[in-house]
Amino acid sequence: MGKVIKYERDNIDTDVILPGTYLKLHDYDEIAKHAMEGIDPNFHARVKKGDFIVAGKNFGCGSSREHAPIALSHCGIKAVLALSFARIFYRNAVDGAFLLPIEIDETAYKKISENDELDINTEKNEIKNLTKNEIYSMKPFSDIISKIIAAGGLFKYKPD
Amino acid sequence: MPQTLFEKVWNSHKVTEIDGRTLIYIDRHLVHEVTSPQAFDGLRLNKRKVRRPDLTFATMDHNVPTNNRSLPIIDQISAIQIKTLEANCKEFGIELFDLHSPYQGIVHVIGPELGITLPGTTIVCGDSHTSTHGAFGSFALGIGTSDVEHVLATQCLVMDKPKTFEIRVDGKRKHRHAITAKDIILSIIKKIGTAGGTGTVIEYRGEAISDLSMDERMTICNMSIEAGARAGLIAPDDKTFDYLKGRKYIPKNYDDLVDSWKTELVTDNGAKFDKTFAINAGDIIPQVSWGTNPAMTSDVTDAVPYPDEYAKGNKSQEDAAKKALEYMDLKPGTKITDIKIDRVFIGSCTNARLQDLIEAADLIHGRKASPNVRVMVVPGSQQVKKQAEEMGLDKIFQDANFEWRESGCSMCLGMNPDILSRGERCASTSNRNFEGRQGSGGRTHLVSPVMAAAAAIAGHFVDVREWL
């Protein structure tokens, strides 16, 4: 369970998720202090462990910096729920086991509001909105993505 | 069955299938200081070696200062990142082009120029603009740090097979010097959008693509990622083979390889692409971005759009355009050529190769930068810098009060000393106009090198066709 931080915009790029100047940092918790600084300087102060980001299309476009999902994950973000993801961000999030990139549809995107409390069940592909008492569907992960997530990242995953 | 060029490269690099995904062999791995330290940490932690140090090459480009190289690096955190790469390359036996190497430069500029990039190969790097190398008919893609570690350890990458996307650029450009590869790729992204290429590998084809030089083709492939594509490529031809001939790292049997590439590295007649888009080069004029993603771009003859007209009924597009104009401090209806600028950046993996610098220098020869504009010219590599200096381009730039600097990523990404101050407006030959990309609060307009150079002289954007 966690609360929603919602950005009603498409194309949230990795430069706003973690501005370039912080790519010099090596320590994950230091990196996390600057998450979303590009569009939301208060993000680090208000985010809590287990929270969710909800956003529009093409989340995580731009640079291949893995620092972007690392920053969000080390702030406590458990999953990003977006209409769609840019490829490298999605892959980094899964391979490094940093957070769950969950694709949602327009209905869920519209209905979920800032501060709503959500509970996500990836086995049932269900998103429960506890605040509004609603249930939305999520796009199921592909077989191999599920396996990598279950293993805890690419390096822990072993093919059958 | 007829195959596309990409399918041939993909099939020839398949190692095996795993759970429906494909294990692909990687021919070349390029490494830089920013996305590699955690990957090397991971290797050490798990007591792994680099599987093929001979296929792995490193340089430092992202965080390096571009002023005098004999001075120490003031930013201690950057200095540590640079030293870390040096130590990692030494420990794992990887060739490094360090800050004092004559071959140092932006990783995507030096790969081709050293002949590390070859047709028909697979190339990865922990940088999204790795798509640049596709200009040589290679499958080249950006990866994150976990995958960098995976490739260091295994020389392979697990992937889903991308879809194929044909982008045809037919016809001829109306003006060879004023209308550049940058204008072609910005026009394409403007039309297909920042996610138009998602899940695909683009093959750029058509007369206007064949007409381009290798430097120009790299500009096109470089920005494939800005359309969301995994990679972009162009079938190699005699220009490709001539460019690479004699370069430092090409294989000894290069001429034999060329013979086989000529027959193999083409899209067969009748091969089907999953998706197709076409544009005519004759319709393209100089482009200037006005917003905060590369698709928010206009013809230089246009005005800054009204958000509702731009969005054509799409509410989220309209909101995005409003936010972008607010960030960019632009009023709808303002003529693009009336936008005044504070800074100019000629550089980056998109536009810092020799031809870019020659064209910019030709345009400004005998003119001076507007007194209100600070201009930086940052060659893409030490080799580009040396060649430019042999041609006297440095003098032309300096006579015009353009700063002539050392090679690196510089003002493209706001992580080294070359940044915009809050509120500054920049005509930039780089690839991303995202909020804060060139420094917190900085405003970026993406343009070609000649458009940037002309803006530097005039102090505002100009239609460079009128100058050439």
PDB file of all heavy atoms in Angstrom, chain B residues 297-331:
ATOM      1  N   THR B 297       8.705  21.247 -32.545  1.00  0.00           N
ATOM      2  CA  THR B 297       9.628  21.899 -33.480  1.00  0.00           C
ATOM      3  C   THR B 297       8.825  22.538 -34.600  1.00  0.00           C
ATOM      4  O   THR B 297       7.778  22.028 -34.993  1.00  0.00           O
ATOM      5  CB  THR B 297      10.605  20.838 -34.026  1.00  0.00           C
ATOM      6  OG1 THR B 297      11.489  20.435 -32.975  1.00  0.00           O
ATOM      7  CG2 THR B 297      11.425  21.350 -35.185  1.00  0.00           C
ATOM      8  N   SER B 298       9.331  23.655 -35.109  1.00  0.00           N
ATOM      9  CA  SER B 298       8.653  24.353 -36.200  1.00  0.00           C
ATOM     10  C   SER B 298       9.618  24.671 -37.330  1.00  0.00           C
ATOM     11  O   SER B 298      10.823  24.719 -37.126  1.00  0.00           O
ATOM     12  CB  SER B 298       8.097  25.695 -35.713  1.00  0.00           C
ATOM     13  OG  SER B 298       6.971  25.507 -34.925  1.00  0.00           O
ATOM     14  N   ASP B 299       9.042  24.963 -38.494  1.00  0.00           N
ATOM     15  CA  ASP B 299       9.837  25.553 -39.572  1.00  0.00           C
ATOM     16  C   ASP B 299      10.303  26.931 -39.104  1.00  0.00           C
ATOM     17  O   ASP B 299       9.581  27.616 -38.367  1.00  0.00           O
ATOM     18  CB  ASP B 299       8.960  25.744 -40.819  1.00  0.00           C
ATOM     19  CG  ASP B 299       8.625  24.424 -41.498  1.00  0.00           C
ATOM     20  OD1 ASP B 299       9.181  23.383 -41.093  1.00  0.00           O
ATOM     21  OD2 ASP B 299       7.813  24.453 -42.443  1.00  0.00           O
ATOM     22  N   VAL B 300      11.479  27.340 -39.559  1.00  0.00           N
ATOM     23  CA  VAL B 300      12.006  28.647 -39.147  1.00  0.00           C
ATOM     24  C   VAL B 300      11.098  29.786 -39.606  1.00  0.00           C
ATOM     25  O   VAL B 300      11.067  30.864 -39.003  1.00  0.00           O
ATOM     26  CB  VAL B 300      13.464  28.831 -39.663  1.00  0.00           C
ATOM     27  CG1 VAL B 300      13.505  28.886 -41.184  1.00  0.00           C
ATOM     28  CG2 VAL B 300      14.105  30.066 -39.060  1.00  0.00           C
ATOM     29  N   THR B 301      10.313  29.551 -40.643  1.00  0.00           N
ATOM     30  CA  THR B 301       9.419  30.591 -41.172  1.00  0.00           C
ATOM     31  C   THR B 301       8.108  30.692 -40.384  1.00  0.00           C
ATOM     32  O   THR B 301       7.318  31.589 -40.622  1.00  0.00           O
ATOM     33  CB  THR B 301       9.070  30.274 -42.641  1.00  0.00           C
ATOM     34  OG1 THR B 301       8.665  28.898 -42.709  1.00  0.00           O
ATOM     35  CG2 THR B 301      10.256  30.493 -43.543  1.00  0.00           C
ATOM     36  N   ASP B 302       7.894  29.756 -39.450  1.00  0.00           N
ATOM     37  CA  ASP B 302       6.646  29.745 -38.677  1.00  0.00           C
ATOM     38  C   ASP B 302       6.739  30.644 -37.455  1.00  0.00           C
ATOM     39  O   ASP B 302       7.768  31.243 -37.179  1.00  0.00           O
ATOM     40  CB  ASP B 302       6.340  28.316 -38.202  1.00  0.00           C
ATOM     41  CG  ASP B 302       5.685  27.488 -39.290  1.00  0.00           C
ATOM     42  OD1 ASP B 302       5.295  28.085 -40.309  1.00  0.00           O
ATOM     43  OD2 ASP B 302       5.598  26.264 -39.124  1.00  0.00           O
ATOM     44  N   ALA B 303       5.617  30.689 -36.724  1.00  0.00           N
ATOM     45  CA  ALA B 303       5.572  31.384 -35.444  1.00  0.00           C
ATOM     46  C   ALA B 303       5.433  30.344 -34.344  1.00  0.00           C
ATOM     47  O   ALA B 303       5.060  29.202 -34.609  1.00  0.00           O
ATOM     48  CB  ALA B 303       4.385  32.336 -35.419  1.00  0.00           C
ATOM     49  N   VAL B 304       5.725  30.736 -33.120  1.00  0.00           N
ATOM     50  CA  VAL B 304       5.489  29.863 -31.961  1.00  0.00           C
ATOM     51  C   VAL B 304       3.999  29.520 -31.957  1.00  0.00           C
ATOM     52  O   VAL B 304       3.157  30.421 -32.042  1.00  0.00           O
ATOM     53  CB  VAL B 304       5.873  30.589 -30.651  1.00  0.00           C
ATOM     54  CG1 VAL B 304       5.502  29.762 -29.439  1.00  0.00           C
ATOM     55  CG2 VAL B 304       7.363  30.940 -30.667  1.00  0.00           C
ATOM     56  N   PRO B 305       3.644  28.244 -31.904  1.00  0.00           N
ATOM     57  CA  PRO B 305       2.228  27.876 -32.084  1.00  0.00           C
ATOM     58  C   PRO B 305       1.344  28.214 -30.872  1.00  0.00           C
ATOM     59  O   PRO B 305       1.829  28.323 -29.758  1.00  0.00           O
ATOM     60  CB  PRO B 305       2.296  26.364 -32.279  1.00  0.00           C
ATOM     61  CG  PRO B 305       3.532  25.945 -31.591  1.00  0.00           C
ATOM     62  CD  PRO B 305       4.510  27.072 -31.737  1.00  0.00           C
ATOM     63  N   TYR B 306       0.066  28.372 -31.149  1.00  0.00           N
ATOM     64  CA  TYR B 306      -0.932  28.449 -30.075  1.00  0.00           C
ATOM     65  C   TYR B 306      -1.192  27.021 -29.614  1.00  0.00           C
ATOM     66  O   TYR B 306      -1.409  26.135 -30.452  1.00  0.00           O
ATOM     67  CB  TYR B 306      -2.210  29.106 -30.596  1.00  0.00           C
ATOM     68  CG  TYR B 306      -2.044  30.588 -30.807  1.00  0.00           C
ATOM     69  CD1 TYR B 306      -1.537  31.095 -32.007  1.00  0.00           C
ATOM     70  CD2 TYR B 306      -2.358  31.490 -29.782  1.00  0.00           C
ATOM     71  CE1 TYR B 306      -1.342  32.452 -32.182  1.00  0.00           C
ATOM     72  CE2 TYR B 306      -2.167  32.849 -29.953  1.00  0.00           C
ATOM     73  CZ  TYR B 306      -1.660  33.330 -31.150  1.00  0.00           C
ATOM     74  OH  TYR B 306      -1.449  34.675 -31.314  1.00  0.00           O
ATOM     75  N   PRO B 307      -1.165  26.766 -28.297  1.00  0.00           N
ATOM     76  CA  PRO B 307      -1.302  25.388 -27.813  1.00  0.00           C
ATOM     77  C   PRO B 307      -2.515  24.642 -28.367  1.00  0.00           C
ATOM     78  O   PRO B 307      -2.416  23.469 -28.709  1.00  0.00           O
ATOM     79  CB  PRO B 307      -1.392  25.568 -26.300  1.00  0.00           C
ATOM     80  CG  PRO B 307      -0.570  26.784 -26.037  1.00  0.00           C
ATOM     81  CD  PRO B 307      -0.850  27.695 -27.210  1.00  0.00           C
ATOM     82  N   ASP B 308      -3.669  25.319 -28.501  1.00  0.00           N
ATOM     83  CA  ASP B 308      -4.852  24.592 -28.989  1.00  0.00           C
ATOM     84  C   ASP B 308      -4.687  24.199 -30.454  1.00  0.00           C
ATOM     85  O   ASP B 308      -5.070  23.112 -30.869  1.00  0.00           O
ATOM     86  CB  ASP B 308      -6.138  25.399 -28.756  1.00  0.00           C
ATOM     87  CG  ASP B 308      -6.065  26.788 -29.351  1.00  0.00           C
ATOM     88  OD1 ASP B 308      -4.931  27.274 -29.591  1.00  0.00           O
ATOM     89  OD2 ASP B 308      -7.128  27.402 -29.581  1.00  0.00           O
ATOM     90  N   GLU B 309      -4.086  25.098 -31.242  1.00  0.00           N
ATOM     91  CA  GLU B 309      -3.867  24.765 -32.656  1.00  0.00           C
ATOM     92  C   GLU B 309      -2.845  23.642 -32.791  1.00  0.00           C
ATOM     93  O   GLU B 309      -3.003  22.727 -33.598  1.00  0.00           O
ATOM     94  CB  GLU B 309      -3.377  25.993 -33.437  1.00  0.00           C
ATOM     95  CG  GLU B 309      -4.488  26.971 -33.736  1.00  0.00           C
ATOM     96  CD  GLU B 309      -3.955  28.265 -34.355  1.00  0.00           C
ATOM     97  OE1 GLU B 309      -2.816  28.274 -34.861  1.00  0.00           O
ATOM     98  OE2 GLU B 309      -4.697  29.263 -34.302  1.00  0.00           O
ATOM     99  N   TYR B 310      -1.799  23.715 -31.978  1.00  0.00           N
ATOM    100  CA  TYR B 310      -0.760  22.686 -32.005  1.00  0.00           C
ATOM    101  C   TYR B 310      -1.339  21.326 -31.648  1.00  0.00           C
ATOM    102  O   TYR B 310      -1.036  20.311 -32.265  1.00  0.00           O
ATOM    103  CB  TYR B 310       0.354  23.062 -31.028  1.00  0.00           C
ATOM    104  CG  TYR B 310       1.356  21.960 -30.770  1.00  0.00           C
ATOM    105  CD1 TYR B 310       2.300  21.624 -31.734  1.00  0.00           C
ATOM    106  CD2 TYR B 310       1.353  21.251 -29.563  1.00  0.00           C
ATOM    107  CE1 TYR B 310       3.216  20.613 -31.516  1.00  0.00           C
ATOM    108  CE2 TYR B 310       2.263  20.236 -29.327  1.00  0.00           C
ATOM    109  CZ  TYR B 310       3.193  19.918 -30.306  1.00  0.00           C
ATOM    110  OH  TYR B 310       4.092  18.906 -30.086  1.00  0.00           O
ATOM    111  N   ALA B 311      -2.230  21.319 -30.639  1.00  0.00           N
ATOM    112  CA  ALA B 311      -2.724  20.050 -30.098  1.00  0.00           C
ATOM    113  C   ALA B 311      -3.818  19.418 -30.958  1.00  0.00           C
ATOM    114  O   ALA B 311      -4.081  18.225 -30.850  1.00  0.00           O
ATOM    115  CB  ALA B 311      -3.231  20.267 -28.681  1.00  0.00           C
ATOM    116  N   LYS B 312      -4.449  20.196 -31.807  1.00  0.00           N
ATOM    117  CA  LYS B 312      -5.533  19.709 -32.675  1.00  0.00           C
ATOM    118  C   LYS B 312      -6.532  18.853 -31.890  1.00  0.00           C
ATOM    119  O   LYS B 312      -6.868  17.737 -32.277  1.00  0.00           O
ATOM    120  CB  LYS B 312      -4.963  18.891 -33.847  1.00  0.00           C
ATOM    121  CG  LYS B 312      -4.072  19.710 -34.771  1.00  0.00           C
ATOM    122  CD  LYS B 312      -3.679  18.909 -36.006  1.00  0.00           C
ATOM    123  CE  LYS B 312      -2.719  19.666 -36.891  1.00  0.00           C
ATOM    124  NZ  LYS B 312      -1.303  19.534 -36.485  1.00  0.00           N
ATOM    125  N   GLY B 313      -6.969  19.394 -30.758  1.00  0.00           N
ATOM    126  CA  GLY B 313      -8.025  18.703 -30.004  1.00  0.00           C
ATOM    127  C   GLY B 313      -7.526  17.715 -28.956  1.00  0.00           C
ATOM    128  O   GLY B 313      -8.320  17.207 -28.173  1.00  0.00           O
ATOM    129  N   ASN B 314      -6.238  17.449 -28.921  1.00  0.00           N
ATOM    130  CA  ASN B 314      -5.698  16.514 -27.923  1.00  0.00           C
ATOM    131  C   ASN B 314      -5.363  17.291 -26.641  1.00  0.00           C
ATOM    132  O   ASN B 314      -4.431  18.097 -26.606  1.00  0.00           O
ATOM    133  CB  ASN B 314      -4.456  15.828 -28.516  1.00  0.00           C
ATOM    134  CG  ASN B 314      -3.827  14.841 -27.561  1.00  0.00           C
ATOM    135  OD1 ASN B 314      -3.863  15.017 -26.342  1.00  0.00           O
ATOM    136  ND2 ASN B 314      -3.250  13.799 -28.112  1.00  0.00           N
ATOM    137  N   LYS B 315      -6.159  17.025 -25.593  1.00  0.00           N
ATOM    138  CA  LYS B 315      -6.059  17.815 -24.364  1.00  0.00           C
ATOM    139  C   LYS B 315      -4.667  17.711 -23.714  1.00  0.00           C
ATOM    140  O   LYS B 315      -4.107  18.719 -23.263  1.00  0.00           O
ATOM    141  CB  LYS B 315      -7.149  17.319 -23.392  1.00  0.00           C
ATOM    142  CG  LYS B 315      -7.215  18.023 -22.059  1.00  0.00           C
ATOM    143  CD  LYS B 315      -7.869  19.390 -22.164  1.00  0.00           C
ATOM    144  CE  LYS B 315      -8.083  20.062 -20.812  1.00  0.00           C
ATOM    145  NZ  LYS B 315      -6.876  20.318 -20.051  1.00  0.00           N
ATOM    146  N   SER B 316      -4.124  16.503 -23.666  1.00  0.00           N
ATOM    147  CA  SER B 316      -2.838  16.367 -22.978  1.00  0.00           C
ATOM    148  C   SER B 316      -1.717  17.041 -23.771  1.00  0.00           C
ATOM    149  O   SER B 316      -0.789  17.614 -23.203  1.00  0.00           O
ATOM    150  CB  SER B 316      -2.520  14.899 -22.669  1.00  0.00           C
ATOM    151  OG  SER B 316      -2.158  14.217 -23.831  1.00  0.00           O
ATOM    152  N   GLN B 317      -1.839  17.026 -25.110  1.00  0.00           N
ATOM    153  CA  GLN B 317      -0.869  17.750 -25.956  1.00  0.00           C
ATOM    154  C   GLN B 317      -0.971  19.252 -25.709  1.00  0.00           C
ATOM    155  O   GLN B 317       0.037  19.959 -25.672  1.00  0.00           O
ATOM    156  CB  GLN B 317      -1.176  17.497 -27.443  1.00  0.00           C
ATOM    157  CG  GLN B 317      -0.835  16.132 -27.927  1.00  0.00           C
ATOM    158  CD  GLN B 317       0.521  16.126 -28.625  1.00  0.00           C
ATOM    159  OE1 GLN B 317       1.479  16.694 -28.111  1.00  0.00           O
ATOM    160  NE2 GLN B 317       0.594  15.507 -29.777  1.00  0.00           N
ATOM    161  N   GLU B 318      -2.204  19.715 -25.547  1.00  0.00           N
ATOM    162  CA  GLU B 318      -2.423  21.149 -25.343  1.00  0.00           C
ATOM    163  C   GLU B 318      -1.804  21.582 -24.003  1.00  0.00           C
ATOM    164  O   GLU B 318      -1.120  22.599 -23.920  1.00  0.00           O
ATOM    165  CB  GLU B 318      -3.931  21.455 -25.365  1.00  0.00           C
ATOM    166  CG  GLU B 318      -4.224  22.932 -25.360  1.00  0.00           C
ATOM    167  CD  GLU B 318      -5.716  23.243 -25.473  1.00  0.00           C
ATOM    168  OE1 GLU B 318      -6.467  22.408 -26.011  1.00  0.00           O
ATOM    169  OE2 GLU B 318      -6.107  24.323 -25.006  1.00  0.00           O
ATOM    170  N   ASP B 319      -2.052  20.768 -22.978  1.00  0.00           N
ATOM    171  CA  ASP B 319      -1.460  21.068 -21.659  1.00  0.00           C
ATOM    172  C   ASP B 319       0.061  21.059 -21.726  1.00  0.00           C
ATOM    173  O   ASP B 319       0.732  21.914 -21.143  1.00  0.00           O
ATOM    174  CB  ASP B 319      -1.913  20.027 -20.616  1.00  0.00           C
ATOM    175  CG  ASP B 319      -3.376  20.193 -20.270  1.00  0.00           C
ATOM    176  OD1 ASP B 319      -3.951  21.242 -20.622  1.00  0.00           O
ATOM    177  OD2 ASP B 319      -3.947  19.265 -19.658  1.00  0.00           O
ATOM    178  N   ALA B 320       0.575  20.061 -22.459  1.00  0.00           N
ATOM    179  CA  ALA B 320       2.037  19.947 -22.583  1.00  0.00           C
ATOM    180  C   ALA B 320       2.615  21.168 -23.288  1.00  0.00           C
ATOM    181  O   ALA B 320       3.647  21.711 -22.880  1.00  0.00           O
ATOM    182  CB  ALA B 320       2.398  18.674 -23.333  1.00  0.00           C
ATOM    183  N   ALA B 321       1.925  21.621 -24.330  1.00  0.00           N
ATOM    184  CA  ALA B 321       2.403  22.795 -25.078  1.00  0.00           C
ATOM    185  C   ALA B 321       2.354  24.049 -24.197  1.00  0.00           C
ATOM    186  O   ALA B 321       3.267  24.872 -24.218  1.00  0.00           O
ATOM    187  CB  ALA B 321       1.579  22.989 -26.342  1.00  0.00           C
ATOM    188  N   LYS B 322       1.283  24.170 -23.403  1.00  0.00           N
ATOM    189  CA  LYS B 322       1.171  25.325 -22.493  1.00  0.00           C
ATOM    190  C   LYS B 322       2.319  25.342 -21.496  1.00  0.00           C
ATOM    191  O   LYS B 322       2.952  26.370 -21.263  1.00  0.00           O
ATOM    192  CB  LYS B 322      -0.157  25.275 -21.726  1.00  0.00           C
ATOM    193  CG  LYS B 322      -1.326  25.834 -22.491  1.00  0.00           C
ATOM    194  CD  LYS B 322      -2.572  25.812 -21.609  1.00  0.00           C
ATOM    195  CE  LYS B 322      -3.795  26.103 -22.453  1.00  0.00           C
ATOM    196  NZ  LYS B 322      -5.025  25.636 -21.801  1.00  0.00           N
ATOM    197  N   LYS B 323       2.547  24.176 -20.888  1.00  0.00           N
ATOM    198  CA  LYS B 323       3.632  24.063 -19.906  1.00  0.00           C
ATOM    199  C   LYS B 323       4.976  24.383 -20.562  1.00  0.00           C
ATOM    200  O   LYS B 323       5.829  25.049 -19.983  1.00  0.00           O
ATOM    201  CB  LYS B 323       3.692  22.642 -19.332  1.00  0.00           C
ATOM    202  CG  LYS B 323       2.662  22.380 -18.252  1.00  0.00           C
ATOM    203  CD  LYS B 323       3.056  21.152 -17.430  1.00  0.00           C
ATOM    204  CE  LYS B 323       2.034  20.850 -16.356  1.00  0.00           C
ATOM    205  NZ  LYS B 323       1.098  19.782 -16.702  1.00  0.00           N
ATOM    206  N   ALA B 324       5.143  23.876 -21.786  1.00  0.00           N
ATOM    207  CA  ALA B 324       6.412  24.085 -22.500  1.00  0.00           C
ATOM    208  C   ALA B 324       6.630  25.571 -22.774  1.00  0.00           C
ATOM    209  O   ALA B 324       7.720  26.099 -22.553  1.00  0.00           O
ATOM    210  CB  ALA B 324       6.410  23.292 -23.801  1.00  0.00           C
ATOM    211  N   LEU B 325       5.573  26.245 -23.220  1.00  0.00           N
ATOM    212  CA  LEU B 325       5.729  27.670 -23.548  1.00  0.00           C
ATOM    213  C   LEU B 325       5.994  28.495 -22.289  1.00  0.00           C
ATOM    214  O   LEU B 325       6.760  29.456 -22.322  1.00  0.00           O
ATOM    215  CB  LEU B 325       4.485  28.190 -24.273  1.00  0.00           C
ATOM    216  CG  LEU B 325       4.278  27.634 -25.682  1.00  0.00           C
ATOM    217  CD1 LEU B 325       3.082  28.298 -26.356  1.00  0.00           C
ATOM    218  CD2 LEU B 325       5.523  27.826 -26.552  1.00  0.00           C
ATOM    219  N   GLU B 326       5.379  28.070 -21.202  1.00  0.00           N
ATOM    220  CA  GLU B 326       5.630  28.763 -19.934  1.00  0.00           C
ATOM    221  C   GLU B 326       7.101  28.591 -19.541  1.00  0.00           C
ATOM    222  O   GLU B 326       7.795  29.551 -19.208  1.00  0.00           O
ATOM    223  CB  GLU B 326       4.727  28.145 -18.865  1.00  0.00           C
ATOM    224  CG  GLU B 326       4.622  28.947 -17.598  1.00  0.00           C
ATOM    225  CD  GLU B 326       3.732  28.223 -16.585  1.00  0.00           C
ATOM    226  OE1 GLU B 326       2.683  27.668 -17.011  1.00  0.00           O
ATOM    227  OE2 GLU B 326       4.106  28.186 -15.422  1.00  0.00           O
ATOM    228  N   TYR B 327       7.578  27.337 -19.620  1.00  0.00           N
ATOM    229  CA  TYR B 327       8.979  27.076 -19.263  1.00  0.00           C
ATOM    230  C   TYR B 327       9.926  27.841 -20.179  1.00  0.00           C
ATOM    231  O   TYR B 327      10.934  28.400 -19.749  1.00  0.00           O
ATOM    232  CB  TYR B 327       9.279  25.571 -19.339  1.00  0.00           C
ATOM    233  CG  TYR B 327      10.711  25.257 -18.959  1.00  0.00           C
ATOM    234  CD1 TYR B 327      11.080  25.126 -17.626  1.00  0.00           C
ATOM    235  CD2 TYR B 327      11.698  25.162 -19.939  1.00  0.00           C
ATOM    236  CE1 TYR B 327      12.405  24.896 -17.277  1.00  0.00           C
ATOM    237  CE2 TYR B 327      13.014  24.929 -19.601  1.00  0.00           C
ATOM    238  CZ  TYR B 327      13.368  24.793 -18.273  1.00  0.00           C
ATOM    239  OH  TYR B 327      14.671  24.574 -17.926  1.00  0.00           O
ATOM    240  N   MET B 328       9.572  27.842 -21.473  1.00  0.00           N
ATOM    241  CA  MET B 328      10.446  28.484 -22.471  1.00  0.00           C
ATOM    242  C   MET B 328      10.267  30.005 -22.505  1.00  0.00           C
ATOM    243  O   MET B 328      10.991  30.694 -23.216  1.00  0.00           O
ATOM    244  CB  MET B 328      10.150  27.907 -23.860  1.00  0.00           C
ATOM    245  CG  MET B 328      10.508  26.446 -24.036  1.00  0.00           C
ATOM    246  SD  MET B 328      12.271  26.103 -23.900  1.00  0.00           S
ATOM    247  CE  MET B 328      12.893  26.825 -25.422  1.00  0.00           C
ATOM    248  N   ASP B 329       9.287  30.505 -21.764  1.00  0.00           N
ATOM    249  CA  ASP B 329       8.980  31.941 -21.738  1.00  0.00           C
ATOM    250  C   ASP B 329       8.748  32.476 -23.157  1.00  0.00           C
ATOM    251  O   ASP B 329       9.352  33.462 -23.577  1.00  0.00           O
ATOM    252  CB  ASP B 329      10.128  32.713 -21.050  1.00  0.00           C
ATOM    253  CG  ASP B 329       9.725  34.158 -20.750  1.00  0.00           C
ATOM    254  OD1 ASP B 329       8.515  34.408 -20.581  1.00  0.00           O
ATOM    255  OD2 ASP B 329      10.618  35.030 -20.716  1.00  0.00           O
ATOM    256  N   LEU B 330       7.867  31.790 -23.871  1.00  0.00           N
ATOM    257  CA  LEU B 330       7.542  32.208 -25.236  1.00  0.00           C
ATOM    258  C   LEU B 330       6.047  32.479 -25.352  1.00  0.00           C
ATOM    259  O   LEU B 330       5.239  31.767 -24.758  1.00  0.00           O
ATOM    260  CB  LEU B 330       7.915  31.103 -26.230  1.00  0.00           C
ATOM    261  CG  LEU B 330       9.405  30.845 -26.468  1.00  0.00           C
ATOM    262  CD1 LEU B 330       9.583  29.589 -27.321  1.00  0.00           C
ATOM    263  CD2 LEU B 330      10.083  32.040 -27.122  1.00  0.00           C
ATOM    264  N   LYS B 331       5.716  33.500 -26.152  1.00  0.00           N
ATOM    265  CA  LYS B 331       4.305  33.803 -26.385  1.00  0.00           C
ATOM    266  C   LYS B 331       3.882  33.228 -27.736  1.00  0.00           C
ATOM    267  O   LYS B 331       4.597  33.391 -28.730  1.00  0.00           O
ATOM    268  CB  LYS B 331       4.104  35.313 -26.414  1.00  0.00           C
ATOM    269  CG  LYS B 331       4.265  35.935 -25.045  1.00  0.00           C
ATOM    270  CD  LYS B 331       3.500  37.242 -24.925  1.00  0.00           C
ATOM    271  CE  LYS B 331       3.486  37.712 -23.487  1.00  0.00           C
ATOM    272  NZ  LYS B 331       4.835  37.732 -22.887  1.00  0.00           N
TER     273      LYS B 331
END
